[in-house]
Amino acid sequence: MSVKDLITVPDDILRKKSEPLNKVDVNEKKLIKDLFETMYHHNGIGLAAVQVGILKRVVVLDVSKNENEKKPLCFINPQIKTLSEKMSTYEEGCLSIPNTFIEIERPEICTVSYIDENGYKKEMKCAGLLSTCLQHEINHLDGKLIIDYLSKIKKDLIIKKLSKQKTSNRVVV
Ligand code: NI
């Protein structure tokens, strides 16, 4: 297992669509373990494979607040089946967009079909924070980011700021 480097905005790979997995074998299981390790290392509550540069439809989540009681969840090829009309709002951050929090309204409840880490087909009803996180991660699989929920002006400002931060460590000797 290993902690992977995080891909951050404005890297173009974050805009690409991820491909479905057609099997859950040794390599896929290793990827899932690496995703969990990377997510926990960075104190995230969700991570999509594309955020470590792998364009596969794999998402890991753990929205449990208790350090001692981890609740790891893995969704392979997740597909939203239903969305509630009732909405809820959270201030969302993203490991690929440092120091940025955006208030986003999303359906409060969703049902999702997926393959679990053992290759079994499953369905889950998700509510509250879990529902929001899952929708956020599925957005990643389709190349969509939280900054896309902002006006173009605000979005461009954030990208500009992050692009500058990226080069601030650059030294010319
Ligand atoms: Ni994210």
Side-chain angles (χ1 to χ4, degrees):
M1 289 208 291
S2 53
V3 174
K4 300 285 183 196
D5 286 339
L6 289 173
I7 308 271
T8 54
V9 166
D11 197 310
D12 279 345
I13 197 170
L14 293 169
R15 293 312 194 170
K16 300 221 159 88
K17 204 173 157 75
S18 295
E19 295 291 326
L21 278 197
N22 44 30
K23 60 177 166 50
V24 187
D25 226 324
V26 184
N27 286 334
E28 291 74 24
K29 286 188 176 170
K30 188 185 173 299
L31 167 65
I32 293 163
K33 279 186 178 164
D34 288 346
L35 288 175
F36 274 120
E37 195 167 320
T38 305
M39 178 185 78
Y40 287 128
H41 177 81
H42 292 282
N43 296 316
I45 56 174
L47 189 69
V50 59
Q51 294 179 274
V52 299
I54 293 163
L55 287 165
K56 295 285 177 197
R57 299 186 83 81
V58 183
V59 161
V60 295
L61 287 175
D62 189 339
V63 297
S64 65
K65 301 248 166 66
N66 191 341
E67 262 284 301
N68 305 316
E69 213 185 301
K70 287 190 170 138
K71 290 200 177 106
L73 289 170
C74 174
F75 299 86
I76 297 164
N77 304 342
Q79 269 190 308
I80 301 267
K81 292 293 174 190
T82 64
L83 292 168
S84 66
E85 274 175 34
K86 197 177 175 205
M87 307 291 274
S88 61
T89 305
Y90 284 92
E91 216 182 351
E92 296 182 30
C94 180
L95 290 175
S96 293
I97 314 173
N99 308 316
T100 305
F101 293 89
I102 300 169
E103 232 176 50
I104 298 176
E105 191 184 47
R106 300 183 191 266
E108 188 178 358
I109 298 163
C110 67
T111 51
V112 62
S113 69
Y114 63 101
I115 312 278
D116 75 4
E117 63 274 33
N118 298 310
Y120 293 111
K121 251 193 128 174
K122 289 198 171 167
E123 207 168 288
M124 193 187 282
K125 186 177 182 182
C126 305
L129 182 59
L130 180 59
S131 173
T132 281
C133 283
L134 191 54
Q135 291 174 60
H136 173 125
E137 300 309 332
I138 291 174
N139 278 170
H140 272 301
L141 302 183
D142 295 320
K144 187 168 181 178
L145 299 169
I146 52 173
I147 47 176
D148 299 343
Y149 290 83
L150 296 172
S151 67
K152 191 177 182 307
I153 297 171
K154 281 188 187 165
K155 180 174 156 179
D156 288 348
L157 251 162
I158 289 173
I159 294 171
K160 205 171 155 189
K161 193 180 81 188
L162 291 171
S163 305
K164 272 189 193 155
Q165 277 175 10
K166 264 214 151 162
T167 54
S168 65
N169 291 332
R170 196 180 277 169
V171 286
V172 183
V173 288

